[in-house]
Every structure is written in structure tokens, then in C-alpha cells.
Amino acid sequence: ARHAGPPDGGWGWMIVAGCFLVTICTRAVTRCISIFFVEFQAYFGQDYARTAWIHSIVDCATMLCAPLGSLISNHVSCQVGIMLGGLLASTGLILSSFATSLEHLYLSLGVLTGLGFALCYSPAIAMVGKYFNKRKALAYGIAMSGSGIGTFILAPVVQLLIEQFSWRGALLILGGFVLNLCVCGALMRPISLKEDCKTAPELLEQNYVPETEKQDLKQMSISSPLIKLWPHECLCYCSWKEYDFLLMPGFMVLSVSILFMAYGCSPLFVYLVPYALSVGVSHHQAAFLMSILGVIDIIGNITFGWLTDRRCLKKHRYFCYLFAVGMDGLSCLFLPVLQSFPLLVPFSFTFGYFDGAYVTLIPVVTADAVGTPLLSSALGVVYFLHAIPYLVSPPVAGWLVDTTGSYTASFLLCGFSMIFSSALLCFARLAKKIKRTHLPSLTGNTALKQHIWTNGAIAYSVTAELDQRDVEFLAVDTNRFSNR
């Protein structure tokens, strides 16, 4: 059945549960790979930089192939995509348990497992956006908290599995655990919204097709019964329009900021455990730090999701997001002076909370920027943008550790990168507000909110903010009418 809008409940809560399990099996498992870091380094006798490539390639493949996951979800089925991803990820982890070299791990644990995670992650998140509108941030908070809960539970469990069965046995067991992604895929029942299911004639009333070619398409839709039945995804124009948001200034600024944010957040999950071990913390305490980070991550997910759904903060989700990113960056700047377990615990609390906060708001801020119909494609691009920073930052941080003999430079670079990401978004929003303030003066009437003029028998109405092109078009059309 076609729904007029997102149901904000019902089966939507099962979608949230499915996405919750997807984030456990993808993001939490990826974070726990850092617990294998010391084991891999000792077994293969390699330095920090080469060993860090394993975690980098997993993250990079997950984000780099995110548009592929969105493509399969949009044009085949979200269920098929997630089930296929679960099989690939499980196969990669199982093959990794037989690795004889780091290069083997690069391919199996890095590329194959990362590709499987990519087919699951962004489609599952996009499905939550299709089922929720009014309670979207809360739904995302619950769904994305799987990353924190999974880290909290899996970090000590993985450490125990390594001690009992070695790293090979632990990877084999994780491979079986990740097969639960196939169950998650089965929960993703498709939903048909009116805004997603327009036919060619209905789209002509929207701005999907250029004005000069509307008449041709209208004639085609009248003369050909086949085109009448085509959904808009089958039209070349509308397929291209799935990625039209790439030219939106707001999305472009968000994309650049995400590059810096992703660069800053990735190395910490790789090097927190090795750093803790280097300052004299025991293995179990180091794994416990990851658990603390994970459980506080949950609190950040849910509380920030609930708070930003409140009426007082709903309009300020953008600033809540950049505040959370900035606080994470500030936490990283203080990390080099925290050299004991009692001091590292507050860091895990702070970083974990704000990490959960901004991760929850990424889909919400993206949806606010591009709209719900384009959310799946936009999330694919957003997570794709994480790929290069995720690939580069851990090895760069490892190279800095090998070169300087200290983690200080690595953590400072991460902190400044995230603070710059937050500052960029802040300046962009301030520039937009200044433009809105001065723009009405271009029309000659600062109080003018709505402009109506006529052209023959047709009346046009333009509301809300007008950009410079709208003002110029209005002036030309008014002059032409007055000269008649």
C-alpha cells in the first residue's frame, strides 16, 4: 500500500530494531578490530603504520562502497542488498582467520568484509528515514546506539575470545556472529510513499524536468501507454535527479566538513587501546576503556536523538551537530596529557558521548539538507566521503607515532581536524544568515515576503527566500510586463 507520509511507528519500530542490529554487526565489529591490533603487530612483526592499514581498509571499503549499497537498495531491494552484504562480511571474517600475512588480511578483513558492511549500512539507515518523520531523531538515536552497545559488549568479549581461542578463533566466531545481518535484511520491509512513487505526468508538475522539455514528455506520456506506467526511476532525467543534491551549496559545505570530521575521528578508535597499553594500563583495562566509550556512546545516541526532537531544539539540529563534533575535537587535544587509567576514563566518557551525538545527527542533518526522497542516495555519498579520510588517517597517525615515538602529534592532528570541521559549518551557517538578512533589500522592499505578478493569463507566486537569480528573473519579468 502507498502511504501518504512516513507512518512514524508500526512496523517502523521493527525497522529501527533491524538497523540497530546492523550497526552492531558493522560499526561495533569494525571498532573492535582495534583490539586485534596488538595481536596482529606481534604475530606478523610489523610496525604501527603497516598494521593500521587493516582497520583503514575496512573503514574505507565500507564508506567507499556505500553508494553501491544505496544503488542496490534503490533499484533492486533493500532486503537483498543487506542479506548479500551479510554473506560477504561473514566470508571475509572467516577467511581472515586463516591469514598468513598482513596482505591476506588487507584483502579478506579489509576489502571483502568492508564491502559486505557497505551493502548493509547506508540502506538500513535510509530505511529508518522512510518510516519516521516527527520522531526521526529519536528513531535514529535508538538505531545508531547499536554501535555503542555493540562496542560495550563486544570489546571485553573479543578480548576474552582472543585469550581463549587466539586471534584466529576470535575472527572465526565473529564471522558467524556477522551472519545475523541476513536476519536484519529480512526485517527491512519496503514502504511506498506518495512522494517516491510519482509517474511521468505527475513529475511534470514538479521541478524534476526542465521547463523547455516538459511539453515533449507530456506528449510522450499521452501518446505512449508504456510511458504512463513507467515509474520516475526509469526516466533518465529522474535518475540523474537522484544525485541533483550534489550541487546544493548546503550539501557541498556539509561534505567538506565531513572529510575533516572523518579524518579526526578514525585514528582514535585504532590507537586508544595501544596508547593505553603504552602508558602502563593493563590489557583488560584498555579493553574496558573501549567498553566505556561504547556504553556512553549509547547515551549520546539516544539522549541527543530525543533532545533534538524537542520543539525547542528541533530547529537547531545543525548547531547541535557542529557542537558535538567540536567537543570531540577538543577532547582529542587533551588526550596526550592523560597518562593513567583514572584519567583516561573521563576521556572515554566525554569522547564517547559526543561521538554518539554527532553520529546520530548525520542522517538527520543530511535529510534536512536534501529531503527524505533523496536520503538514501545522499547517505551513500556522505558515507562515501568518509572513505578517503578513513583510509589515510590511521596510517598517517601510525607514521607519526613511528617517527616521533609519541602519540601526541597524532592526537593533536585529529583534534584540530574535527574542530576545523565544526568551525567550517558554523561559518557557513553564519554566512547564510547574513545573506538572508541582506537579500530582501535587493527587491526594494525589505518586508516583502511574497511576490505575485502576472504573465498573460498565468499567475506566478514565489514564496520564502529568493536567491539572486530569482530576484533578477523577477526584475526582468516585471519590466517586460510594464512595457506592454
Side-chain angles (χ1 to χ4, degrees):
R2 186 182 297 182
H3 297 262
D8 273 297
W11 189 259
W13 293 115
M14 294 302 296
I15 300 296
V16 169
C19 187
F20 174 84
L21 291 173
V22 167
T23 54
I24 289 178
C25 295
T26 56
R27 303 312 300 158
V29 169
T30 300
R31 288 181 178 183
C32 288
I33 289 175
S34 64
I35 297 175
F36 291 92
F37 187 95
V38 176
E39 301 294 328
F40 291 153
Q41 191 180 31
Y43 186 86
F44 295 108
Q46 300 294 338
D47 58 19
Y48 277 86
R50 291 199 62 188
T51 310
W53 277 106
I54 299 171
H55 191 282
S56 296
I57 295 171
V58 176
D59 265 338
C60 178
T62 301
M63 301 308 175
L64 191 67
C65 299
L68 178 61
S70 297
L71 185 67
I72 294 174
S73 174
N74 290 339
H75 297 281
V76 182
S77 167
C78 182
Q79 295 171 316
V80 170
I82 294 177
M83 289 181 177
L84 177 61
L87 290 173
L88 289 175
S90 177
T91 302
L93 285 163
I94 291 171
L95 290 176
S96 298
S97 67
F98 299 100
T100 56
S101 66
L102 279 183
E103 288 73 17
H104 185 163
L105 287 173
Y106 293 162
L107 292 175
S108 57
L109 185 55
V111 176
L112 190 57
T113 301
L115 174 61
F117 288 165
L119 298 184
C120 302
Y121 191 53
S122 58
I125 293 172
M127 283 294 290
V128 176
K130 288 182 178 292
Y131 272 84
F132 287 87
N133 183 25
K134 294 180 181 178
R135 292 181 284 185
K136 182 181 290 184
L138 176 61
Y140 272 127
I142 296 171
M144 305 294 279
S145 68
S147 176
I149 291 176
T151 305
F152 173 69
I153 297 173
L154 287 179
V157 169
V158 168
Q159 183 64 47
L160 184 62
L161 290 174
I162 291 172
E163 292 175 1
Q164 295 295 321
F165 304 106
S166 81
W167 62 267
R168 295 185 185 276
L171 285 175
L172 189 64
I173 293 170
L174 279 180
F177 173 73
V178 165
L179 275 174
N180 284 293
L181 286 169
C182 296
V183 179
C184 302
L187 293 174
M188 299 296 167
R189 180 189 297 171
I191 183 172
S192 180
L193 302 176
K194 284 187 176 180
E195 61 186 355
D196 296 331
C197 303
K198 296 184 185 339
T199 59
E202 291 173 309
L203 285 171
L204 298 178
E205 304 303 324
Q206 307 290 328
N207 290 325
Y208 287 100
V209 182
E211 186 69 35
T212 56
E213 301 179 23
K214 282 186 177 181
Q215 294 300 324
D216 293 338
L217 285 178
K218 194 172 289 185
Q219 290 295 328
M220 291 171 65
S221 65
I222 293 172
S223 60
S224 173
L226 177 62
I227 294 182
K228 289 181 182 179
L229 299 176
W230 279 0
H232 73 278
E233 290 87 353
C234 297
L235 293 172
C236 293
Y237 287 114
C238 301
S239 295
W240 182 82
K241 284 292 180 180
E242 286 182 8
Y243 292 93
D244 192 30
F245 59 84
L246 292 172
L247 300 178
M248 295 179 181
F251 184 79
M252 292 173 69
V253 173
L254 180 65
S255 299
V256 174
S257 74
I258 281 173
L259 290 174
F260 287 95
M261 180 273 292
Y263 182 92
C265 72
S266 182
L268 185 115
F269 291 102
V270 181
Y271 292 107
L272 179 59
V273 171
Y275 172 71
L277 295 174
S278 72
V279 296
V281 175
S282 70
H283 283 79
H284 285 286
Q285 286 178 327
F288 185 61
L289 287 174
M290 288 294 292
S291 294
I292 294 173
L293 193 150
V295 74
I296 300 302
D297 196 298
I298 305 163
I299 299 174
N301 284 141
I302 297 175
T303 58
F304 241 67
W306 181 83
L307 286 172
T308 52
D309 269 341
R310 300 306 94 196
R311 185 173 298 179
C312 58
L313 288 178
K314 198 165 188 176
K315 295 180 180 179
H316 305 292
R317 288 168 171 172
Y318 186 92
F319 289 103
C320 291
Y321 168 79
L322 65 88
F323 174 75
V325 173
M327 288 301 295
D328 257 2
L330 197 62
S331 300
C332 288
L333 296 183
F334 285 99
L335 184 55
V337 300
L338 308 177
Q339 299 189 357
S340 66
F341 181 72
L343 293 176
L344 287 171
V345 169
F347 168 81
S348 292
F349 272 85
T350 306
F351 188 90
Y353 182 81
F354 288 108
D355 179 74
Y358 78 73
V359 166
T360 294
L361 292 180
I362 286 176
V364 178
V365 172
T366 305
D368 290 343
V370 304
T372 301
L374 298 174
L375 180 59
S376 181
S377 299
L379 281 176
V381 174
V382 164
Y383 292 126
F384 170 82
L385 292 171
H386 285 65
I388 295 176
Y390 277 7
L391 178 67
V392 172
S393 58
V396 168
W399 176 79
L400 288 172
V401 172
D402 292 330
T403 304
T404 64
S406 168
Y407 289 87
T408 301
S410 300
F411 292 146
L412 289 180
L413 185 59
C414 292
F416 284 123
S417 180
M418 298 188 79
I419 289 173
F420 178 79
S421 172
S422 178
L424 180 65
L425 288 175
C426 185
F427 288 138
R429 180 51 62 96
L430 290 175
K432 188 175 181 180
K433 285 194 172 185
I434 292 172
K435 183 181 177 182
R436 284 179 179 176
T437 303
H438 290 83
L439 190 58
S441 62
L442 296 173
T443 66
N445 184 358
T446 56
L448 197 59
K449 294 294 183 181
Q450 184 177 37
H451 304 273
I452 300 178
W453 70 98
T454 59
N455 183 7
I458 304 174
Y460 298 87
S461 176
V462 178
T463 58
E465 296 89 12
L466 297 175
D467 60 16
Q468 182 63 39
R469 289 180 300 172
D470 295 326
V471 175
E472 292 173 355
F473 179 82
L474 175 60
V476 171
D477 205 316
T478 305
N479 291 334
R480 185 174 60 188
F481 177 76
S482 63
N483 290 332
R484 289 185 176 180

